[in-house]
Amino acid sequence: MDAYVTEAKEKFGKSIESLNFNLGKLRSGRANPAILSGIKCDYYGEKMDILSLSSVQIPEPRQLYVKPYSREDIKTIAAAISMANLGINPQVEADGIRLTVPPMTEETRRDIAKRAKGLGEEAKVSIRNIRRDVLSLLKEDDSMSDDYKATIEKQIQKEVDAANKQVEDIIAAKTKEVMSI
C-alpha cells in the first residue's frame, strides 16, 4: 500500500477514535464515568481534570460515586460538576459525591441523538478534509506518473468510503442506544 493511503488511513482512524471519545461523553440513560471527562476543577490554582483527582464508581446503574483522593477537594469537584451543566445535581456526602442520573425524557433522548448525529457529521467533515489534504500532497508529488496517482486517488476514496460507513454505523448504534428505554 502506498504511503499516502497509509497516512490517510491512520488519520481517518484518529478521526473515528475522536468521535468515539466524544460520543462516550453523551448521556445514554445509564451512569457512565465518561460524562465527567473533560470537566476541570480548580486544584491549588491549576485546572485539573476531575478523573485525575478522584476515582469514579458505579454503585447502581443510574448512579456515579465520585471519591476524591483528598477530602479537601470534594467541594471544588462538586462545584465543577454543577458548573458543567450535565443535568445532574451532585450530592455531597462525607467522603465523596453521589451523582444520580435522572431518567431521560423522550425530548432529551431526541436532543442527545441529534447531538450524536452532529458529532458524526463533524467526523465526516474531518475525513473529507484529510482526503483533501492528502490529495493535494499527492498532486504536488512529481515522482510518480499520473496513472499511478489516479490509482492512489481511487484507493484513498475507498478508504474514505469505508471510514464514512464506519462513522454511520457508530452513530446508528449510539442513536439506538440512546433511544431505547
Side-chain angles (χ1 to χ4, degrees), residues 43-64:
Y43 183 72
Y44 296 108
E46 296 288 322
K47 291 290 185 183
M48 295 284 292
D49 191 29
I50 287 176
L51 297 178
S52 64
L53 296 174
S54 60
S55 66
V56 180
Q57 301 162 352
I58 307 173
E60 295 177 17
R62 301 193 101 144
Q63 274 189 1
L64 290 175

Side-chain angles (χ1 to χ4, degrees), residues 166-178:
Q166 191 174 358
V167 167
E168 289 171 8
D169 292 344
I170 291 169
I171 295 301
K174 183 67 174 184
T175 302
K176 183 179 178 184
E177 176 187 340
V178 167

Side-chain angles (χ1 to χ4, degrees), residues 19 76 82 97 110 122 143 145 150 177-178:
L19 171 67
T76 58
S82 293
I97 303 162
R110 283 195 201 114
E122 288 177 18
S143 66
S145 69
E177 176 187 340
V178 167

Side-chain angles (χ1 to χ4, degrees), residues 23 25-30 104-117 170-181:
L23 286 176
K25 292 180 183 179
L26 294 179
R27 273 183 53 197
S28 62
R30 291 185 176 177
M104 294 195 306
T105 63
E106 186 69 27
E107 182 181 334
T108 308
R109 290 178 191 280
R110 283 195 201 114
D111 182 47
I112 292 173
K114 188 186 290 185
R115 281 196 277 164
K117 189 173 182 181
I170 291 169
I171 295 301
K174 183 67 174 184
T175 302
K176 183 179 178 184
E177 176 187 340
V178 167
M179 295 305 285
S180 65
I181 298 174

